């Protein structure tokens, strides 16, 4: 069996460093691993429209932003296929058929759907399209016969639902679809980066994100005003690492050699942590260290992004070609799906044959 990856993001904003440590960094590793035969990275504009139906220009404008972020991080269109969801209309058709295999109560029990409905205050006014997005997500994955879906923990219920759809489809119509597995970020520190204010999630609406496109001064400003340990009032006080955003970010970004480069008084991050916990190490110093590290990691990304911004035709072309390839792959899957569902009427004159068989039975 071949190893096929599908994953993606909703284009509702520029990507931030939470995306970077949670998924982008990993995708770049995966694209260089010969174990994977095909990699599809989807810009999920149709999904973004399920809760932004009245704001199509927001979704459209962010397609290029997300594509720029992808390429700036080092995703290589020669190795991964970047495409736009809405340009693969086969995904809609698949979703339509899968809807018959899922009950309303099952979707209502999907924890991610439940949480998102609560978060958006939809209550009784949930758009049907939004409600069914786990089904459409199953289509996104299965259309490419993807067996591997690198995603965050929040996507686990989606993949579970996709698996159920695959099993139900295969049991009903015959073995056509591939059951996907989620692959979570390996390091715990990468699973969810809190916002700079210490809130659980980075989110544009909370204004607590550091974007991949932020300039040097903006990054510095955000780091220097980060949430730390609210009880660490005086330098001499012992500090706590628990829930301390600066240290959570250090866990996610620190690499060997960073001390030697930026803070030679210490040999490694562990020493810094110990000193902080003991007391006598001020937040400002640790923040400066984090700032140096972040600048070091983000500078090449930002510079690459600027280059690409000056060559936007290239970016558009990557998306166009990626979408054409993705469409071809999805069309092949759909052919098998239609056949299994016995709705490929004009192949092999299926309608005629069925009719003849019936006539023979009568005779
Ligand atoms: N729901 C994902 C997000 O919020 C985007 C997405 C759409 C996706 N379809 C997918 C991710 C299929 C993985 C697999 O970012």
């Amino acid at each position: 069996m071949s190893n096929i990856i599908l994953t993606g993001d909703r284009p509702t904003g520029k990507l931030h460093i939470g995306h970077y440590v949670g998924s982008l960094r990993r995708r770049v590793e995966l694209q260089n691993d010969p174990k994977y035969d095909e990699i599809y990275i989807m810009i999920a504009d149709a999904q973004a429209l399920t809760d932004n139906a009245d704001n199509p220009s927001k979704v459209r404008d962010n397609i290029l932003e997300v594509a720029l972020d992808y390429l700036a991080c080092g995703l290589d269109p020669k190795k991964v296929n970047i495409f736009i969801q809405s340009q693969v209309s086969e995904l809609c058709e698949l979703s339509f058929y899968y809807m018959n295999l899922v009950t309303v109560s099952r979707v209502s029990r999907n924890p991610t759907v439940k949480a998102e409905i609560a978060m958006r205050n939809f209550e009784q006014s949930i758009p049907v399209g939004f409600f069914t997005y786990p089904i459409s997500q199953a289509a996104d994955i299965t259309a490419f016969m993807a067996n591997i879906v690198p995603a965050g923990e929040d996507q686990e219920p989606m993949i579970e639902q996709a698996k159920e759809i695959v099993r139900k489809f295969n049991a009903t119509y015959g073995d056509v679809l591939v059951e996907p597995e989620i692959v979570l970020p390996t390091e715990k520190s990468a699973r969810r980066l809190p916002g700079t204010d210490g809130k659980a999630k980075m989110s544009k609406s909370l204004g607590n994100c550091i974007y991949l496109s932020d300039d040097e001064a903006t990054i510095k400003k955000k780091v220097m005003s980060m949430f730390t340990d609210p009880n660490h009032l005086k330098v001499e006080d012992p500090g706590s690492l628990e829930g301390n955003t600066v240290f959570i970010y250090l866990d996610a970004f620190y690499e060997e050699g960073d001390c030697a480069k930026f803070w030679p008084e210490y040999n490694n991050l562990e020493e810094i942590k110990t000193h902080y916990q003991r007391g006598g190490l001020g937040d400002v110093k640790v923040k400066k260290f984090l700032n140096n590290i972040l600048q070091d990691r983000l500078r090449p990304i930002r510079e690459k992004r600027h280059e690409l911004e000056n060559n936007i035709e290239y970016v558009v072309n990557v998306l166009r070609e990626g979408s054409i390839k993705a469409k071809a792959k999805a069309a092949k899957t759909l052919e098998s799906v239609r056949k299994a569902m016995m709705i490929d009427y004009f192949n092999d004159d299926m309608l005629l044959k069925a009719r003849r068989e019936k006539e023979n039975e009568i005779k």
Side-chain angles (χ1 to χ4, degrees):
M1 198 179 85
S2 45
N3 276 317
I4 302 176
I5 291 178
L6 177 120
T7 186
D9 302 281
R10 297 182 194 200
T12 50
K14 295 177 178 189
L15 301 182
H16 51 63
I17 61 172
H19 294 112
Y20 180 70
V21 299
S23 59
L24 298 173
R25 195 160 64 172
R26 184 78 182 287
R27 291 178 196 171
V28 175
E29 281 169 27
L30 293 173
Q31 78 176 355
N32 296 320
D33 186 335
K35 205 160 76 216
Y36 302 104
D37 303 293
E38 295 166 44
I39 303 181
Y40 296 90
I41 312 274
M42 179 179 75
I43 302 182
D45 63 331
Q47 190 179 98
L49 284 167
T50 63
D51 60 333
N52 289 284
D54 53 355
N55 203 352
S57 54
K58 169 175 146 188
V59 173
R60 185 199 52 200
D61 293 347
N62 279 307
I63 285 179
L64 281 178
E65 297 298 337
V66 170
L68 281 165
D69 287 329
Y70 282 170
L71 297 171
C73 283
L75 285 177
D76 177 355
K78 289 196 198 75
K79 297 175 181 164
V80 301
N81 205 64
I82 303 172
F83 72 97
I84 306 176
Q85 185 183 28
S86 64
Q87 302 309 295
V88 181
S89 52
E90 284 75 6
L91 300 176
C92 301
E93 189 177 338
L94 269 186
S95 305
F96 193 64
Y97 301 142
Y98 292 172
M99 283 186 199
N100 304 332
L101 307 175
V102 185
T103 63
V104 172
S105 72
R106 174 61 182 89
V107 180
S108 311
R109 274 185 279 117
N110 185 311
T112 312
V113 173
K114 266 165 89 173
E116 300 214 23
I117 286 172
M119 199 173 81
R120 290 175 172 77
N121 298 320
F122 274 152
E123 281 144 28
Q124 288 312 303
S125 55
I126 314 154
V128 173
F130 181 82
F131 182 72
T132 57
Y133 94 77
I135 301 171
S136 120
Q137 201 152 319
D140 300 336
I141 297 166
T142 53
F144 301 95
M145 298 286 177
N147 56 330
I148 299 160
V149 181
E153 269 167 336
D154 61 321
Q155 297 295 308
E156 269 180 316
M158 296 296 160
I159 309 304
E160 214 31 65
Q161 184 125 46
K163 282 189 196 185
E164 279 175 39
I165 291 175
V166 168
R167 285 187 213 124
K168 186 86 189 268
F169 186 100
N170 287 349
T172 312
Y173 303 117
D175 256 330
V176 173
L177 303 177
V178 177
E179 252 188 67
E181 291 297 334
I182 191 165
V183 178
L184 295 167
T186 41
E187 312 143 61
K188 208 163 148 268
S189 63
R191 294 211 171 166
R192 176 163 295 180
L193 212 56
T196 50
D197 56 358
K199 293 226 171 72
K201 209 177 165 175
M202 272 201 185
S203 118
K204 192 174 51 199
S205 50
L206 296 173
N208 61 0
C209 309
I210 296 176
Y211 292 99
L212 293 171
S213 46
D214 277 348
D215 62 28
E216 193 167 340
T218 308
I219 296 170
K220 183 158 189 204
K221 205 170 108 214
K222 289 177 179 174
V223 171
M224 297 317 284
S225 62
M226 258 166 90
F227 178 82
T228 57
D229 168 8
N231 298 317
H232 187 232
L233 297 174
K234 283 187 263 139
V235 173
E236 313 84 75
D237 291 342
S240 168
L241 307 178
E242 187 73 27
N244 188 322
T245 319
V246 175
F247 281 96
I248 297 173
Y249 281 32
L250 280 173
D251 279 334
F253 282 95
Y254 178 84
E255 286 173 9
E256 227 185 281
D258 282 338
C259 277
K261 220 153 81 201
F262 302 118
W263 210 357
E265 284 105 304
Y266 299 91
N267 288 308
N268 52 48
L269 182 56
E270 281 318 301
E271 280 184 18
I272 298 171
K273 286 182 178 172
T274 312
H275 191 180
Y276 189 81
Q277 285 173 299
R278 193 170 65 231
L281 179 55
D283 284 341
V284 172
K285 282 189 175 168
V286 189
K287 284 179 175 174
K288 281 190 175 152
F289 182 53
L290 173 62
N291 177 56
N292 281 329
I293 292 177
L294 278 182
Q295 300 289 358
D296 189 65
R297 302 298 109 89
L298 298 180
R299 189 176 306 112
I301 296 175
R302 185 175 53 241
E303 284 171 1
K304 181 92 194 274
R305 205 179 192 281
H306 283 316
E307 255 171 57
L308 290 157
E309 279 165 9
N310 291 324
N311 193 4
I312 213 74
E313 289 87 357
Y314 165 78
V315 181
V316 171
N317 220 26
V318 165
L319 294 176
R320 183 185 294 120
E321 284 177 10
S323 299
I324 291 171
K325 274 193 216 149
K327 193 171 169 68
K329 173 88 182 190
K332 252 171 91 183
T333 302
L334 206 63
E335 216 179 282
S336 316
V337 162
R338 288 210 194 104
K339 189 161 195 249
M341 292 179 68
M342 299 196 279
I343 54 174
D344 60 331
Y345 305 117
F346 304 115
N347 278 351
D348 302 330
D349 263 336
M350 198 181 119
L351 276 179
L352 261 186
K353 275 188 204 153
R355 180 74 191 182
R356 297 249 155 86
E357 273 166 28
K358 218 166 169 189
E359 279 168 4
N360 286 338
E361 269 169 38
I362 296 166
K363 274 182 211 157

